[in-house]
Amino acid sequence: RISNPPKTNPSPRFTWMRRTALRRLTTTPRVRKVAVIGAGTLGQQVSFQAALSGFDVALLDTTEKRLTTAKQAHERFARLFVERGEKVRAWRVPAESSLSPQAALQRISYTTDVDEACGDSDLLSENVPEVPAVKTTVYAELHAAAPSHCIFTTNSSTLLPSDFAAATGRPERFLALHFANPIFDGNIGEVMGHASTDEAVFEQVVQFARDIHMVPIRIEKEQNGYICNSLLVPWLNSALWLVTSGVASPHDVDRTWMITMGAPKGPMQVIDVIGLETVRNVFAHWGEVMRDDAAGKQMLANAAFLDAKLEAGCAGIKTGDPSSDTAKGMYDYPGPAFMKDDFLG
């Protein structure tokens, strides 16, 4: 269940295996080329951050339109770096590790060809929709294209690596590297293996997270939602249930949270940042899994509510800038209600 707390203390066997893995790292190929699969919100961010950190990156998606949107996002991130780089956690690095956004843009290639993206990659980050059947199909295609040494990582929000290990064709070189959204400010990398993950590979992914200026968070056993989403998903589910069951308006749910908790954002704002489709997919999947429980029934009702919003063209914020974005979601942009002086009374 996604609400179960993660285990925090590693077993003696796990610790011994990690020490053994560390000794083996010297024989593991170094990561130089990264393939990012999926050019959506997180795929855009992961590819830019990896390129900014000095890696060559290939970004793969199914249409040129989506790749063009991603390229525009990368150019926007480069401008953002110039404007507020020192204020962003993932961009505050020692002077000797100077980051160049323009050099990062030059390191990213864009393609719809899986062989071109993966043929010489050392590590890939899967960021496709949170739909098990889609991920399974994608992994089979990636395995056929990627070299045998390539490490596969999933950025799945709530699904387990063990659900897809066989589909990857390389279970020992497959694990989760999960990022928060936006990754530049919430710069954690949750690293979670499964029963067959090679410990040397686990340690290499921990190091890769450091190399792209994330704070590695070791998940010591498989947990749907890791730490971040084990906390986030039930919170969003409860908040949206207050709306779908008619208890309160989206604005009042956010006002209540922001005022009482002193928080900068309410749950409806967070849904817009994540994207309504991603939240909908999580609720639809886990609603079916937990349909006999109260939480599962809430998730199914919330997924239906978000389906209606999506059909009406409300997908959430796209640029990350509520003052200039023209999207609709739980709020209307630009100049959403929560930016107005009287929103909190």
Side-chain angles (χ1 to χ4, degrees), residues 124-139:
L124 67 79
S125 171
E126 171 269 303
N127 297 266
V128 304
E130 196 77 347
V131 180
V134 172
K135 289 184 184 291
T136 298
T137 299
V138 167
Y139 281 129

Side-chain angles (χ1 to χ4, degrees), residues 147-159:
S148 60
H149 75 269
C150 182
I151 298 170
F152 282 19
T153 69
T154 178
N155 192 17
S156 172
S157 299
T158 60
L159 303 174

Side-chain angles (χ1 to χ4, degrees), residues 8-168:
T8 57
N9 296 320
S11 67
R13 178 176 179 272
F14 201 91
T15 302
W16 174 83
M17 291 174 66
R18 181 171 296 149
R19 287 198 298 267
T20 303
L22 287 170
R23 290 194 294 269
R24 293 170 51 203
L25 276 175
T26 55
T27 63
T28 304
R30 179 184 172 191
V31 174
R32 300 177 186 275
K33 168 77 177 291
V34 177
V36 177
I37 315 304
T41 300
L42 274 169
Q44 294 167 8
Q45 296 175 34
V46 172
S47 52
F48 181 79
Q49 185 65 27
L52 186 68
S53 303
F55 293 91
D56 292 326
V57 177
L59 181 58
L60 174 71
D61 211 305
T62 56
T63 69
E64 292 292 345
K65 181 179 179 180
R66 289 177 62 83
L67 292 172
T68 298
T69 299
K71 188 172 184 179
Q72 292 169 347
H74 291 155
E75 292 167 350
R76 188 170 63 251
F77 297 155
R79 293 193 297 271
L80 183 64
F81 182 95
V82 174
E83 294 169 4
R84 57 183 294 259
E86 292 184 357
K87 299 178 181 179
V88 176
R89 282 185 53 87
W91 296 344
R92 294 200 301 262
V93 298
E96 62 270 19
S97 303
S98 59
L99 305 179
S100 168
Q102 293 307 314
L105 295 178
Q106 297 302 312
R107 293 190 189 103
I108 306 173
S109 61
Y110 304 84
T111 183
T112 58
D113 187 302
V114 65
D115 293 312
E116 182 181 344
C118 301
D120 58 349
S121 59
D122 303 306
L123 181 146
L124 67 79
S125 171
E126 171 269 303
N127 297 266
V128 304
E130 196 77 347
V131 180
V134 172
K135 289 184 184 291
T136 298
T137 299
V138 167
Y139 281 129
E141 296 175 1
L142 297 175
H143 176 60
S148 60
H149 75 269
C150 182
I151 298 170
F152 282 19
T153 69
T154 178
N155 192 17
S156 172
S157 299
T158 60
L159 303 174
L160 297 176
S162 58
D163 294 338
F164 306 101
T168 68

